[in-house]
Amino acid sequence: MKRRQLKLLSILSILVLMILAACGSTDEDSSDSDSGKTKEDIKFLSMLTGGTQGTYYPLGGTFADLITTETGVKTTAEVSQASAANMTALQEGEGNIAFVQTDIAYYGTEGIMMFEGKKTDAVSALGALYPETVQLVTLADSGITSFEDLKGKKVSVGAPGSGTYANAEQLLEIHGLSMEDIEAQSLDFGESTDGIQSGQIDAAFITAGYPTGAVEALNATNKVSIISVSDEKADALIEKYPYYAKDTIPAGTYGIKGETPTVSVLAMLAVNKDLSEDLVYKITKAIYGNTDKISHAKGEFIKAETALDGIGIEVHPGAKKYFDEVNK
C-alpha cells in the first residue's frame, strides 16, 4: 500500500513539474511575441515638426491626419525645436517620424557639425518633400540691404537645435562674416518676427518653405524685405556645401514687387529605424499616395517620383519598397 502511494506521488510530482515547465515555456514565448508586437502593433505615432509659425507644423498636421486615416494608427503632429532637435529625439526614441532638413540629417548620421560625438545612427530617411528657402528677413526701412550690413546688428539665427543656425553660419561665412560679427539671438520664427516688429532685433534668418506664416504675419503690419543672395555668393556656397541649391522667392511674396534670389536646402521626413518595414511602407503610401489631399502651398512639390532626390542618408526599407513600386 505504501509502495503504491509513493509511486502515485512520484507520478503526480512529475506531472506537476511538466506543467510548470510548460507554463514557463509559454510565458517565455509570450514575452518574445510581445517584444515583436511592439514593432508591428503600434497604436500611436508621434510626428515631430517645428514651431507653430513655420511650415513643418501645419504640413505635419495634414500628414498626421493622412497617416491616421490610411493606416489606422493614431498619429499626432507635435511642436518641436525643429531639425537638429528632431534628429536627436528620433535617436533617443522620443519620436517616431520627424521633419528635418537634408543637410542636418546628413550631419547627424555622419556625427559632424552640431552632432560631433553624437551620431544619430538609429535614424533613416522616409522621403524628400520640398525646397526650404533660406530667408534673411528685415524691415524695408531697416537700412539693411546686404549681408555685409548685418555687422554689429542684432540678428536671430534660429532656435537652439534648429537647422537654421547652420544655414545662418554658412551664409555669413560666404559673405566674409561670422557669428562673432553680429549680436546673435537664438529665437524661433514667431519670436524672430515679433522681435523685428518691436525693434528688439534688426533681422532674422528663417529657413522654411515660403510663404512662411510668421513672415506673412509681420508683413501684415510692417513692410518686410528679404535680403538677396547673389549668383556669385550662391555658387561659392554650393561649391563648399553641395546640399544647397539656388532658389528664387517669386515676386508678390510678402508684398515684395520683384523676385528675390536666394538659396535653399530640402525638407525631408526621417523615421526611427526600429519601425517595421510594413508600417513605414504604409506611412509612406499614406503621404505620397495622397498628395492631392495636401492643401498647403508646398503640396505641389511633394511627389513620389522626386522623393529620393537630395537624400544623403540611408532610406528605410519600407519607404524604399513603396518608391520602388510606384516609380518602376
Side-chain angles (χ1 to χ4, degrees), residues 29 32 41 51 68 85 114 144 147 155 174 222 228-229 237 298 300 307 310:
D29 291 344
D32 288 343
D41 295 343
T68 300
M114 69 283 285
I144 298 172
F147 277 79
V155 183
I174 291 300
N222 302 80
S228 63
V229 179
L237 183 72
K298 289 302 171 187
E300 65 177 293

Side-chain angles (χ1 to χ4, degrees), residues 147-201:
F147 277 79
E148 289 76 13
D149 291 335
L150 295 177
K151 195 165 186 177
K153 298 292 196 300
K154 293 180 180 177
V155 183
S156 173
V157 294
S162 73
T164 302
Y165 185 94
N167 303 143
E169 189 171 47
Q170 290 158 359
L171 273 164
L172 288 171
E173 174 195 347
I174 291 300
H175 287 87
L177 300 169
S178 70
M179 288 292 179
E180 285 67 42
D181 292 314
I182 63 174
E183 290 188 42
Q185 312 288 312
S186 293
L187 307 173
D188 66 24
F189 296 165
E191 292 167 339
S192 294
T193 51
D194 286 348
I196 291 173
Q197 183 176 15
S198 66
Q200 297 298 307
I201 63 172

Side-chain angles (χ1 to χ4, degrees), residues 55-293:
T55 304
Y56 288 174
Y57 184 72
L59 198 52
T62 299
F63 289 171
D65 288 344
L66 287 174
I67 295 168
T68 300
T69 301
E70 298 294 324
T71 70
V73 179
K74 174 67 177 174
T75 305
T76 303
E78 298 182 11
V79 175
S80 76
Q81 293 293 323
S83 293
N86 287 353
M87 287 292 286
T88 300
L90 286 181
Q91 176 70 18
E92 296 176 355
E94 295 173 358
N96 308 110
I97 315 166
F99 283 76
V100 295
Q101 293 175 195
T102 50
D103 53 335
I104 302 305
Y106 177 78
Y107 298 154
T109 55
E110 293 296 312
I112 59 175
M113 297 285 285
M114 69 283 285
F115 296 99
E116 192 74 44
K118 298 176 289 185
K119 186 180 284 192
T120 54
D121 55 6
V123 180
S124 55
L126 187 143
L129 298 171
Y130 59 87
E132 290 228 84
T133 307
V134 185
Q135 306 166 73
L136 176 54
V137 183
T138 187
L139 296 182
D141 60 1
S142 67
I144 298 172
T145 59
S146 69
F147 277 79
E148 289 76 13
D149 291 335
L150 295 177
K151 195 165 186 177
K153 298 292 196 300
K154 293 180 180 177
V155 183
S156 173
V157 294
S162 73
T164 302
Y165 185 94
N167 303 143
E169 189 171 47
Q170 290 158 359
L171 273 164
L172 288 171
E173 174 195 347
I174 291 300
H175 287 87
L177 300 169
S178 70
M179 288 292 179
E180 285 67 42
D181 292 314
I182 63 174
E183 290 188 42
Q185 312 288 312
S186 293
L187 307 173
D188 66 24
F189 296 165
E191 292 167 339
S192 294
T193 51
D194 286 348
I196 291 173
Q197 183 176 15
S198 66
Q200 297 298 307
I201 63 172
D202 302 295
F205 284 91
I206 292 179
T207 301
Y210 62 77
T212 308
V215 184
E216 287 189 304
L218 175 62
N219 188 60
T221 56
N222 302 80
K223 189 175 181 181
V224 304
S225 174
I226 308 294
I227 306 305
S228 63
V229 179
S230 70
D231 267 358
E232 178 189 357
K233 294 299 184 184
D235 287 339
L237 183 72
I238 293 165
E239 183 177 354
K240 186 162 187 180
Y241 304 107
Y243 38 75
Y244 282 98
K246 290 182 180 179
D247 199 359
T248 301
I249 300 174
T253 307
Y254 311 129
I256 298 170
K257 288 183 179 179
E259 294 182 339
T260 306
T262 183
V263 293
S264 64
V265 291
L266 278 175
M268 63 175 279
L269 288 175
V271 294
N272 191 289
K273 282 183 179 178
D274 282 349
L275 292 181
S276 72
E277 180 177 328
D278 182 59
L279 179 57
V280 174
Y281 174 88
K282 290 175 181 175
I283 291 169
T284 309
K285 184 177 181 180
I287 295 171
Y288 291 88
N290 291 282
T291 54
D292 58 318
K293 297 176 183 175

